[in-house]
Each structure stands twice: as C-alpha cells, then as structure tokens.
C-alpha cells in the first residue's frame, strides 16, 4: 500500500471560508498526484448537502451554494494546474447512497437554478474552476435519470460553458 496524506473533510475546509487554504490543499493533492503518477481525481464533492442522511455529506463542501462553489473552484483550479483532471461530483441532486439508482428527486426549476446548480457554475465555468470533467449522480430528476436528462446537461454545456467530458 502506498502511504497517502489524510486531509480534512470537504466540509471542514469549506467552513474555514478560506480560499487560500483550499488552494493550498489543492496544491498538496496535486503534488501527491504527480508523485504517484495519478492524473485523475474523482472529486471534489460539489453536490450540495440536500439531506442530513445523505451518505456522502462528508465529501460535500456545504449546503450553501456560494460557499460550496467557491471551495470547489479553488480546489479544482489549483489541482488542474498540476495536470490533474478533476471530476466534481455528483451532478446533481444526489440525496442518498442506499437505493440511489432508483430515487427520484423532485424540485422546481427556480430552486434548482438559484440553489442547487450554482456551485456547478463555479466548478465548471471556464473563467472559474474550469473543470475538464464531471461525474453525474445515479438518481433521477423527476422521472429522468440524472445522467440522461438533456436539460441538465445543456445547463452545463450551453449555460455554464462546460466543454469537458461527463462520466456516469
């Protein structure tokens, strides 16, 4: 086994409200990735904390869209400066781990745009985080599987300017 650095949780980093600290963590992750010849990081967890019982809340920065977006942006920008491709996850509305392949999430477009999509704009927009990839969620948005929801993919590509690839 290869020794690895143990970093604070995403929530701990975001709760510092310190972009420089997030960039420093991105730098350390980037240096470790280069040393270990790793060119892809499955993260950071950019999904908002929508449910206190979500099994991945420790991976997600915050329930606040601005804070989550700024933390994701700082980490992504720095990591990618080391040549590491980031996969912010789980796009979008990931609520739970148990039976996550079948759960349907219902919300209106206003709350989706004003709250839940905002961190993704910070993560993928070319003038912000500029992530080169995104990992989708397994849930459904309404009756559509999130990965196959063309309206959600169009928001990434056409509205936020994302030109990378999407992993399901």
């Amino acid at each position: 086994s290869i020794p690895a650095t143990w970093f604070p949780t995403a929530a701990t980093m975001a709760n510092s409200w310190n972009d420089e600290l997030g960039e420093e963590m991105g730098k350390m992750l980037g240096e470790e990735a280069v040393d270990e010849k790793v060119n892809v990081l499955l993260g950071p967890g950019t999904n908002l904390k929508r449910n206190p019982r979500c099994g991945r809340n420790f991976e997600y920065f915050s329930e606040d869209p601005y804070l989550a977006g700024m933390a994701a942006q700082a980490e992504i920008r720095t990591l990618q400066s080391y040549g590491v491709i980031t996969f912010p996850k789980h796009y979008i509305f990931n609520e739970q781990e148990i039976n996550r392949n079948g759960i349907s999430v219902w919300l209106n477009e206003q709350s989706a745009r004003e709250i839940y999509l905002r961190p993704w704009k910070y993560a993928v927009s070319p003038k912000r985080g500029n992530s080169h990839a995104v990992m989708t969620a397994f849930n459904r948005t309404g009756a559509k599987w999130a990965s196959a929801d063309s309206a959600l993919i169009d928001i990434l590509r056409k509205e936020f300017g994302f030109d990378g690839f999407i992993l399901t």
Side-chain angles (χ1 to χ4, degrees):
S1 118
I2 299 169
T5 306
W6 289 50
F7 292 100
T9 65
T12 302
M13 292 302 297
N15 284 327
S16 73
W17 286 84
N18 186 335
D19 289 346
E20 291 173 2
L21 190 59
E23 290 170 358
E24 187 64 28
M25 189 166 109
K27 179 180 175 185
M28 289 186 289
L29 281 166
E31 288 173 358
E32 190 167 302
V34 168
D35 287 347
E36 299 300 331
K37 297 176 179 51
V38 171
N39 58 4
V40 170
L41 179 97
L42 301 178
T46 305
N47 191 59
L48 284 186
K49 297 178 182 192
R50 290 178 41 86
N51 181 329
R53 295 179 306 271
C54 176
R56 297 207 181 213
N57 277 344
F58 68 94
E59 278 187 46
Y60 300 145
F61 291 113
S62 179
E63 66 282 350
D64 179 82
Y66 176 77
L67 180 57
M70 293 303 289
Q73 174 181 300
E75 189 173 314
I76 290 166
R77 208 177 37 230
T78 308
L79 262 166
Q80 290 193 155
S81 73
Y82 284 84
V84 178
I85 298 171
T86 59
F87 278 84
K89 58 185 183 176
H90 295 93
Y91 185 76
I92 190 161
F93 317 126
N94 188 51
E95 299 245 326
Q96 67 187 41
E97 291 305 297
I98 298 171
N99 299 320
R100 69 182 181 162
N101 291 351
I103 187 172
S104 292
V105 178
W106 299 89
L107 68 163
N108 64 30
E109 184 176 355
Q110 182 177 2
S111 64
R113 288 183 175 280
E114 290 180 2
I115 302 168
Y116 301 106
L117 287 162
R118 185 167 291 168
W120 293 95
K121 184 174 186 175
Y122 288 90
V124 303
S125 294
K127 293 182 180 178
R128 293 195 172 265
N130 196 30
S131 183
H132 301 313
V134 166
M135 182 187 292
T136 59
F138 286 111
N139 57 279
R140 298 179 185 280
T141 54
K144 294 181 183 177
W145 184 41
S147 297
D149 189 332
S150 60
L152 290 175
I153 302 304
D154 283 349
I155 289 170
L156 276 178
R157 296 211 183 274
K158 295 177 181 176
E159 294 182 33
F160 298 164
F162 175 68
D163 65 353
F165 58 96
I166 297 171
L167 173 73
T168 59

